[in-house]
Amino acid sequence: AQKITQTQPGMFVQEKEAVTLDCTYDTSDPSYGLFWYKQPSSGEMIFLIYQGSYDQQNATEGRYSLNFQKARKSANLVISASQLGDSAMYFCAMTLGHGNNRLAFGKGNQVVVIP
Amino acid sequence: EAQVTQNPRYLITVTGKKLTVTCSQNMNHEYMSWYRQDPGLGLRQIYYSMNVEATDKGDVPEGYKVSRKEKRNFPLILESPSPNQTSLYFCASSLLVNTEAFFGQGTRLTVV
């Protein structure tokens, strides 16, 4: 069963605008972690942001913020002031399994920033 | 420089010929894992390791083996590769499972 769902089709975003990438997840564990990673066309995987399920505040890292809505099981990534270098595939991921030792990724969202 | 090193970067092999993809990290991380990335499927975890001599199956372990004899190394072994194992493979390490993961550069494997 799919644990992490990213269903948006590819997105075009105007430079300097904000973009929100949707991620919903499914778990019955009260304790889990949520991540976002970026994969540019060069192929490397880059960590962006982390949110723990017990964290009271939404995580922020520079231009990245995670809109965590626990009751809705939603962990959307917001990128503010998009830059051309933000063009990439973005993956949501979460810890799961016994002891939360496994990591599951969504299928990704493609973002293209246009000048 | 903190890094995860995978080798080789590219590999073409024939069905049934055993191969090993190496992965090494220099950050003294406890958690290491292997993923395969296929178009439209995102990354799927193959195996993970919580520490030396502690490995466990991820979502797609069939056809793969791993070992963790030393903390820094986590090789992925394909005993008898098949064409459906053609994929892009990533090794990653992190201090713990719920901390930032550092990924290797990826290994593009083609099995013919």
PDB file of all heavy atoms in Angstrom, chain B residues 4 23-25 29-35 45 47-51 54 68 70-75 91-94:
ATOM      1  N   VAL B   4      29.533  10.286   0.672  1.00  0.00           N
ATOM      2  CA  VAL B   4      29.202   8.888   0.450  1.00  0.00           C
ATOM      3  C   VAL B   4      29.678   8.549  -0.957  1.00  0.00           C
ATOM      4  O   VAL B   4      29.322   9.241  -1.914  1.00  0.00           O
ATOM      5  CB  VAL B   4      27.680   8.658   0.567  1.00  0.00           C
ATOM      6  CG1 VAL B   4      27.347   7.204   0.265  1.00  0.00           C
ATOM      7  CG2 VAL B   4      27.188   9.041   1.958  1.00  0.00           C
ATOM      8  N   CYS B  23      29.761   0.882  -1.404  1.00  0.00           N
ATOM      9  CA  CYS B  23      29.310   2.141  -0.810  1.00  0.00           C
ATOM     10  C   CYS B  23      30.130   2.382   0.441  1.00  0.00           C
ATOM     11  O   CYS B  23      30.224   1.488   1.314  1.00  0.00           O
ATOM     12  CB  CYS B  23      27.833   2.079  -0.470  1.00  0.00           C
ATOM     13  SG  CYS B  23      27.242   3.550   0.424  1.00  0.00           S
ATOM     14  N   SER B  24      30.690   3.559   0.549  1.00  0.00           N
ATOM     15  CA  SER B  24      31.511   3.894   1.701  1.00  0.00           C
ATOM     16  C   SER B  24      31.191   5.310   2.155  1.00  0.00           C
ATOM     17  O   SER B  24      31.038   6.202   1.329  1.00  0.00           O
ATOM     18  CB  SER B  24      32.987   3.775   1.325  1.00  0.00           C
ATOM     19  OG  SER B  24      33.803   4.076   2.427  1.00  0.00           O
ATOM     20  N   GLN B  25      31.118   5.501   3.479  1.00  0.00           N
ATOM     21  CA  GLN B  25      30.869   6.850   4.014  1.00  0.00           C
ATOM     22  C   GLN B  25      31.940   7.185   5.050  1.00  0.00           C
ATOM     23  O   GLN B  25      32.449   6.308   5.749  1.00  0.00           O
ATOM     24  CB  GLN B  25      29.454   6.952   4.619  1.00  0.00           C
ATOM     25  CG  GLN B  25      29.087   5.864   5.604  1.00  0.00           C
ATOM     26  CD  GLN B  25      29.271   6.220   7.064  1.00  0.00           C
ATOM     27  OE1 GLN B  25      29.694   7.321   7.422  1.00  0.00           O
ATOM     28  NE2 GLN B  25      28.918   5.274   7.941  1.00  0.00           N
ATOM     29  N   HIS B  29      28.529   7.491  10.294  1.00  0.00           N
ATOM     30  CA  HIS B  29      27.077   7.352  10.428  1.00  0.00           C
ATOM     31  C   HIS B  29      26.710   5.925  10.788  1.00  0.00           C
ATOM     32  O   HIS B  29      27.336   4.963  10.324  1.00  0.00           O
ATOM     33  CB  HIS B  29      26.390   7.734   9.119  1.00  0.00           C
ATOM     34  CG  HIS B  29      26.327   9.212   8.908  1.00  0.00           C
ATOM     35  ND1 HIS B  29      26.023   9.761   7.669  1.00  0.00           N
ATOM     36  CD2 HIS B  29      26.521  10.250   9.750  1.00  0.00           C
ATOM     37  CE1 HIS B  29      26.024  11.074   7.778  1.00  0.00           C
ATOM     38  NE2 HIS B  29      26.330  11.391   9.023  1.00  0.00           N
ATOM     39  N   GLU B  30      25.648   5.810  11.563  1.00  0.00           N
ATOM     40  CA  GLU B  30      25.181   4.473  11.946  1.00  0.00           C
ATOM     41  C   GLU B  30      24.225   3.891  10.909  1.00  0.00           C
ATOM     42  O   GLU B  30      24.249   2.712  10.624  1.00  0.00           O
ATOM     43  CB  GLU B  30      24.489   4.536  13.316  1.00  0.00           C
ATOM     44  CG  GLU B  30      25.438   4.919  14.432  1.00  0.00           C
ATOM     45  CD  GLU B  30      24.841   4.741  15.808  1.00  0.00           C
ATOM     46  OE1 GLU B  30      23.622   4.505  15.900  1.00  0.00           O
ATOM     47  OE2 GLU B  30      25.596   4.847  16.791  1.00  0.00           O
ATOM     48  N   TYR B  31      23.369   4.733  10.356  1.00  0.00           N
ATOM     49  CA  TYR B  31      22.316   4.255   9.460  1.00  0.00           C
ATOM     50  C   TYR B  31      22.772   4.356   8.012  1.00  0.00           C
ATOM     51  O   TYR B  31      23.198   5.415   7.555  1.00  0.00           O
ATOM     52  CB  TYR B  31      21.049   5.089   9.675  1.00  0.00           C
ATOM     53  CG  TYR B  31      19.811   4.571   8.975  1.00  0.00           C
ATOM     54  CD1 TYR B  31      19.000   3.603   9.570  1.00  0.00           C
ATOM     55  CD2 TYR B  31      19.448   5.053   7.720  1.00  0.00           C
ATOM     56  CE1 TYR B  31      17.863   3.125   8.936  1.00  0.00           C
ATOM     57  CE2 TYR B  31      18.306   4.574   7.084  1.00  0.00           C
ATOM     58  CZ  TYR B  31      17.519   3.613   7.691  1.00  0.00           C
ATOM     59  OH  TYR B  31      16.401   3.140   7.059  1.00  0.00           O
ATOM     60  N   MET B  32      22.676   3.240   7.291  1.00  0.00           N
ATOM     61  CA  MET B  32      22.971   3.230   5.860  1.00  0.00           C
ATOM     62  C   MET B  32      21.881   2.462   5.146  1.00  0.00           C
ATOM     63  O   MET B  32      21.240   1.568   5.727  1.00  0.00           O
ATOM     64  CB  MET B  32      24.344   2.587   5.584  1.00  0.00           C
ATOM     65  CG  MET B  32      25.504   3.376   6.185  1.00  0.00           C
ATOM     66  SD  MET B  32      27.124   2.743   5.714  1.00  0.00           S
ATOM     67  CE  MET B  32      27.250   3.292   4.004  1.00  0.00           C
ATOM     68  N   SER B  33      21.652   2.827   3.900  1.00  0.00           N
ATOM     69  CA  SER B  33      20.594   2.149   3.163  1.00  0.00           C
ATOM     70  C   SER B  33      20.866   2.199   1.667  1.00  0.00           C
ATOM     71  O   SER B  33      21.650   3.024   1.194  1.00  0.00           O
ATOM     72  CB  SER B  33      19.226   2.762   3.479  1.00  0.00           C
ATOM     73  OG  SER B  33      19.238   4.153   3.267  1.00  0.00           O
ATOM     74  N   TRP B  34      20.192   1.319   0.961  1.00  0.00           N
ATOM     75  CA  TRP B  34      20.246   1.248  -0.491  1.00  0.00           C
ATOM     76  C   TRP B  34      18.853   1.456  -1.055  1.00  0.00           C
ATOM     77  O   TRP B  34      17.865   0.944  -0.508  1.00  0.00           O
ATOM     78  CB  TRP B  34      20.759  -0.117  -0.955  1.00  0.00           C
ATOM     79  CG  TRP B  34      22.243  -0.225  -0.965  1.00  0.00           C
ATOM     80  CD1 TRP B  34      23.033  -0.835  -0.048  1.00  0.00           C
ATOM     81  CD2 TRP B  34      23.120   0.290  -1.969  1.00  0.00           C
ATOM     82  NE1 TRP B  34      24.357  -0.724  -0.404  1.00  0.00           N
ATOM     83  CE2 TRP B  34      24.440  -0.031  -1.592  1.00  0.00           C
ATOM     84  CE3 TRP B  34      22.932   1.005  -3.157  1.00  0.00           C
ATOM     85  CZ2 TRP B  34      25.553   0.310  -2.350  1.00  0.00           C
ATOM     86  CZ3 TRP B  34      24.030   1.355  -3.913  1.00  0.00           C
ATOM     87  CH2 TRP B  34      25.330   1.009  -3.505  1.00  0.00           C
ATOM     88  N   TYR B  35      18.801   2.194  -2.177  1.00  0.00           N
ATOM     89  CA  TYR B  35      17.556   2.470  -2.872  1.00  0.00           C
ATOM     90  C   TYR B  35      17.742   2.200  -4.347  1.00  0.00           C
ATOM     91  O   TYR B  35      18.835   2.325  -4.883  1.00  0.00           O
ATOM     92  CB  TYR B  35      17.141   3.941  -2.714  1.00  0.00           C
ATOM     93  CG  TYR B  35      16.992   4.370  -1.280  1.00  0.00           C
ATOM     94  CD1 TYR B  35      18.086   4.854  -0.580  1.00  0.00           C
ATOM     95  CD2 TYR B  35      15.778   4.287  -0.636  1.00  0.00           C
ATOM     96  CE1 TYR B  35      17.967   5.237   0.746  1.00  0.00           C
ATOM     97  CE2 TYR B  35      15.642   4.681   0.696  1.00  0.00           C
ATOM     98  CZ  TYR B  35      16.743   5.150   1.374  1.00  0.00           C
ATOM     99  OH  TYR B  35      16.616   5.533   2.678  1.00  0.00           O
ATOM    100  N   GLN B  45      13.257   1.590  -1.079  1.00  0.00           N
ATOM    101  CA  GLN B  45      14.330   1.106  -0.219  1.00  0.00           C
ATOM    102  C   GLN B  45      14.520  -0.388  -0.403  1.00  0.00           C
ATOM    103  O   GLN B  45      13.571  -1.174  -0.325  1.00  0.00           O
ATOM    104  CB  GLN B  45      14.023   1.433   1.236  1.00  0.00           C
ATOM    105  CG  GLN B  45      15.216   1.276   2.166  1.00  0.00           C
ATOM    106  CD  GLN B  45      14.912   1.737   3.582  1.00  0.00           C
ATOM    107  OE1 GLN B  45      13.863   1.426   4.138  1.00  0.00           O
ATOM    108  NE2 GLN B  45      15.836   2.483   4.176  1.00  0.00           N
ATOM    109  N   TYR B  47      17.459  -2.365   1.142  1.00  0.00           N
ATOM    110  CA  TYR B  47      17.919  -2.824   2.452  1.00  0.00           C
ATOM    111  C   TYR B  47      18.389  -1.611   3.240  1.00  0.00           C
ATOM    112  O   TYR B  47      18.763  -0.598   2.669  1.00  0.00           O
ATOM    113  CB  TYR B  47      19.096  -3.801   2.314  1.00  0.00           C
ATOM    114  CG  TYR B  47      18.719  -5.253   2.216  1.00  0.00           C
ATOM    115  CD1 TYR B  47      18.574  -5.854   0.967  1.00  0.00           C
ATOM    116  CD2 TYR B  47      18.538  -6.026   3.353  1.00  0.00           C
ATOM    117  CE1 TYR B  47      18.236  -7.197   0.870  1.00  0.00           C
ATOM    118  CE2 TYR B  47      18.200  -7.369   3.261  1.00  0.00           C
ATOM    119  CZ  TYR B  47      18.045  -7.946   2.008  1.00  0.00           C
ATOM    120  OH  TYR B  47      17.717  -9.275   1.913  1.00  0.00           O
ATOM    121  N   TYR B  48      18.385  -1.790   4.549  1.00  0.00           N
ATOM    122  CA  TYR B  48      18.968  -0.768   5.398  1.00  0.00           C
ATOM    123  C   TYR B  48      19.761  -1.441   6.510  1.00  0.00           C
ATOM    124  O   TYR B  48      19.617  -2.641   6.775  1.00  0.00           O
ATOM    125  CB  TYR B  48      17.899   0.176   5.978  1.00  0.00           C
ATOM    126  CG  TYR B  48      16.925  -0.483   6.922  1.00  0.00           C
ATOM    127  CD1 TYR B  48      17.163  -0.514   8.294  1.00  0.00           C
ATOM    128  CD2 TYR B  48      15.746  -1.051   6.436  1.00  0.00           C
ATOM    129  CE1 TYR B  48      16.260  -1.108   9.153  1.00  0.00           C
ATOM    130  CE2 TYR B  48      14.847  -1.649   7.291  1.00  0.00           C
ATOM    131  CZ  TYR B  48      15.099  -1.674   8.650  1.00  0.00           C
ATOM    132  OH  TYR B  48      14.195  -2.259   9.507  1.00  0.00           O
ATOM    133  N   SER B  49      20.596  -0.627   7.162  1.00  0.00           N
ATOM    134  CA  SER B  49      21.414  -1.130   8.251  1.00  0.00           C
ATOM    135  C   SER B  49      21.436  -0.102   9.371  1.00  0.00           C
ATOM    136  O   SER B  49      21.736   1.068   9.136  1.00  0.00           O
ATOM    137  CB  SER B  49      22.838  -1.398   7.767  1.00  0.00           C
ATOM    138  OG  SER B  49      23.696  -1.667   8.856  1.00  0.00           O
ATOM    139  N   MET B  50      21.106  -0.567  10.563  1.00  0.00           N
ATOM    140  CA  MET B  50      21.100   0.333  11.715  1.00  0.00           C
ATOM    141  C   MET B  50      22.506   0.504  12.299  1.00  0.00           C
ATOM    142  O   MET B  50      22.793   1.508  12.949  1.00  0.00           O
ATOM    143  CB  MET B  50      20.175  -0.205  12.804  1.00  0.00           C
ATOM    144  CG  MET B  50      18.732  -0.325  12.377  1.00  0.00           C
ATOM    145  SD  MET B  50      17.978   1.276  12.068  1.00  0.00           S
ATOM    146  CE  MET B  50      17.914   1.933  13.732  1.00  0.00           C
ATOM    147  N   ASN B  51      23.362  -0.488  12.086  1.00  0.00           N
ATOM    148  CA  ASN B  51      24.729  -0.431  12.588  1.00  0.00           C
ATOM    149  C   ASN B  51      25.470  -1.668  12.097  1.00  0.00           C
ATOM    150  O   ASN B  51      24.913  -2.480  11.344  1.00  0.00           O
ATOM    151  CB  ASN B  51      24.758  -0.338  14.114  1.00  0.00           C
ATOM    152  CG  ASN B  51      25.916   0.494  14.631  1.00  0.00           C
ATOM    153  OD1 ASN B  51      27.023   0.460  14.068  1.00  0.00           O
ATOM    154  ND2 ASN B  51      25.680   1.245  15.672  1.00  0.00           N
ATOM    155  N   ALA B  54      23.963  -5.290  11.595  1.00  0.00           N
ATOM    156  CA  ALA B  54      22.512  -5.121  11.786  1.00  0.00           C
ATOM    157  C   ALA B  54      21.907  -4.627  10.485  1.00  0.00           C
ATOM    158  O   ALA B  54      21.919  -3.424  10.201  1.00  0.00           O
ATOM    159  CB  ALA B  54      22.235  -4.133  12.922  1.00  0.00           C
ATOM    160  N   ARG B  68      27.222  -5.595   6.417  1.00  0.00           N
ATOM    161  CA  ARG B  68      27.747  -4.428   7.134  1.00  0.00           C
ATOM    162  C   ARG B  68      28.741  -4.940   8.170  1.00  0.00           C
ATOM    163  O   ARG B  68      28.462  -5.051   9.353  1.00  0.00           O
ATOM    164  CB  ARG B  68      26.615  -3.662   7.818  1.00  0.00           C
ATOM    165  CG  ARG B  68      27.073  -2.332   8.424  1.00  0.00           C
ATOM    166  CD  ARG B  68      26.815  -1.181   7.524  1.00  0.00           C
ATOM    167  NE  ARG B  68      27.254   0.090   8.087  1.00  0.00           N
ATOM    168  CZ  ARG B  68      26.460   0.898   8.798  1.00  0.00           C
ATOM    169  NH1 ARG B  68      25.213   0.535   9.075  1.00  0.00           N
ATOM    170  NH2 ARG B  68      26.933   2.050   9.241  1.00  0.00           N
ATOM    171  N   GLU B  70      31.773  -3.463   8.521  1.00  0.00           N
ATOM    172  CA  GLU B  70      32.426  -2.288   9.099  1.00  0.00           C
ATOM    173  C   GLU B  70      31.420  -1.154   9.027  1.00  0.00           C
ATOM    174  O   GLU B  70      30.548  -1.143   8.162  1.00  0.00           O
ATOM    175  CB  GLU B  70      33.660  -1.881   8.286  1.00  0.00           C
ATOM    176  CG  GLU B  70      34.653  -2.968   8.036  1.00  0.00           C
ATOM    177  CD  GLU B  70      35.555  -2.577   6.868  1.00  0.00           C
ATOM    178  OE1 GLU B  70      35.099  -2.657   5.719  1.00  0.00           O
ATOM    179  OE2 GLU B  70      36.705  -2.174   7.128  1.00  0.00           O
ATOM    180  N   LYS B  71      31.585  -0.195   9.905  1.00  0.00           N
ATOM    181  CA  LYS B  71      30.619   0.890   9.963  1.00  0.00           C
ATOM    182  C   LYS B  71      30.599   1.699   8.677  1.00  0.00           C
ATOM    183  O   LYS B  71      29.540   2.166   8.240  1.00  0.00           O
ATOM    184  CB  LYS B  71      30.955   1.810  11.139  1.00  0.00           C
ATOM    185  CG  LYS B  71      29.795   2.673  11.597  1.00  0.00           C
ATOM    186  CD  LYS B  71      30.133   3.327  12.913  1.00  0.00           C
ATOM    187  CE  LYS B  71      28.920   4.026  13.498  1.00  0.00           C
ATOM    188  NZ  LYS B  71      29.215   4.630  14.829  1.00  0.00           N
ATOM    189  N   ARG B  72      31.730   1.895   8.041  1.00  0.00           N
ATOM    190  CA  ARG B  72      31.809   2.793   6.897  1.00  0.00           C
ATOM    191  C   ARG B  72      31.322   2.169   5.596  1.00  0.00           C
ATOM    192  O   ARG B  72      30.991   2.878   4.670  1.00  0.00           O
ATOM    193  CB  ARG B  72      33.239   3.303   6.739  1.00  0.00           C
ATOM    194  CG  ARG B  72      34.273   2.243   6.427  1.00  0.00           C
ATOM    195  CD  ARG B  72      35.677   2.843   6.353  1.00  0.00           C
ATOM    196  NE  ARG B  72      35.793   3.753   5.241  1.00  0.00           N
ATOM    197  CZ  ARG B  72      36.176   5.020   5.352  1.00  0.00           C
ATOM    198  NH1 ARG B  72      36.480   5.523   6.533  1.00  0.00           N
ATOM    199  NH2 ARG B  72      36.268   5.797   4.302  1.00  0.00           N
ATOM    200  N   ASN B  73      31.296   0.844   5.490  1.00  0.00           N
ATOM    201  CA  ASN B  73      31.004   0.191   4.206  1.00  0.00           C
ATOM    202  C   ASN B  73      29.694  -0.580   4.225  1.00  0.00           C
ATOM    203  O   ASN B  73      29.367  -1.263   5.206  1.00  0.00           O
ATOM    204  CB  ASN B  73      32.140  -0.773   3.843  1.00  0.00           C
ATOM    205  CG  ASN B  73      33.449  -0.052   3.605  1.00  0.00           C
ATOM    206  OD1 ASN B  73      33.468   1.042   3.050  1.00  0.00           O
ATOM    207  ND2 ASN B  73      34.552  -0.654   4.028  1.00  0.00           N
ATOM    208  N   PHE B  74      28.993  -0.497   3.103  1.00  0.00           N
ATOM    209  CA  PHE B  74      27.688  -1.170   3.006  1.00  0.00           C
ATOM    210  C   PHE B  74      27.499  -1.604   1.557  1.00  0.00           C
ATOM    211  O   PHE B  74      26.771  -0.976   0.782  1.00  0.00           O
ATOM    212  CB  PHE B  74      26.590  -0.202   3.445  1.00  0.00           C
ATOM    213  CG  PHE B  74      25.233  -0.833   3.629  1.00  0.00           C
ATOM    214  CD1 PHE B  74      25.081  -2.040   4.293  1.00  0.00           C
ATOM    215  CD2 PHE B  74      24.092  -0.194   3.159  1.00  0.00           C
ATOM    216  CE1 PHE B  74      23.830  -2.604   4.472  1.00  0.00           C
ATOM    217  CE2 PHE B  74      22.831  -0.747   3.331  1.00  0.00           C
ATOM    218  CZ  PHE B  74      22.702  -1.950   3.989  1.00  0.00           C
ATOM    219  N   PRO B  75      28.151  -2.679   1.128  1.00  0.00           N
ATOM    220  CA  PRO B  75      28.052  -3.110  -0.264  1.00  0.00           C
ATOM    221  C   PRO B  75      26.699  -3.747  -0.588  1.00  0.00           C
ATOM    222  O   PRO B  75      26.081  -4.394   0.263  1.00  0.00           O
ATOM    223  CB  PRO B  75      29.183  -4.128  -0.391  1.00  0.00           C
ATOM    224  CG  PRO B  75      29.372  -4.650   1.010  1.00  0.00           C
ATOM    225  CD  PRO B  75      29.076  -3.499   1.929  1.00  0.00           C
ATOM    226  N   CYS B  91      23.069   4.730  -2.691  1.00  0.00           N
ATOM    227  CA  CYS B  91      23.412   4.421  -1.314  1.00  0.00           C
ATOM    228  C   CYS B  91      23.280   5.713  -0.520  1.00  0.00           C
ATOM    229  O   CYS B  91      23.553   6.804  -1.050  1.00  0.00           O
ATOM    230  CB  CYS B  91      24.844   3.894  -1.248  1.00  0.00           C
ATOM    231  SG  CYS B  91      25.437   3.558   0.418  1.00  0.00           S
ATOM    232  N   ALA B  92      22.870   5.610   0.734  1.00  0.00           N
ATOM    233  CA  ALA B  92      22.742   6.794   1.574  1.00  0.00           C
ATOM    234  C   ALA B  92      23.155   6.462   2.995  1.00  0.00           C
ATOM    235  O   ALA B  92      23.050   5.308   3.427  1.00  0.00           O
ATOM    236  CB  ALA B  92      21.307   7.317   1.560  1.00  0.00           C
ATOM    237  N   SER B  93      23.635   7.476   3.697  1.00  0.00           N
ATOM    238  CA  SER B  93      23.950   7.285   5.114  1.00  0.00           C
ATOM    239  C   SER B  93      23.449   8.468   5.907  1.00  0.00           C
ATOM    240  O   SER B  93      23.330   9.587   5.398  1.00  0.00           O
ATOM    241  CB  SER B  93      25.462   7.106   5.314  1.00  0.00           C
ATOM    242  OG  SER B  93      26.136   8.350   5.254  1.00  0.00           O
ATOM    243  N   SER B  94      23.128   8.209   7.155  1.00  0.00           N
ATOM    244  CA  SER B  94      22.706   9.268   8.066  1.00  0.00           C
ATOM    245  C   SER B  94      23.070   8.849   9.483  1.00  0.00           C
ATOM    246  O   SER B  94      23.275   7.663   9.753  1.00  0.00           O
ATOM    247  CB  SER B  94      21.201   9.555   7.945  1.00  0.00           C
ATOM    248  OG  SER B  94      20.448   8.382   8.154  1.00  0.00           O
TER     249      SER B  94
END
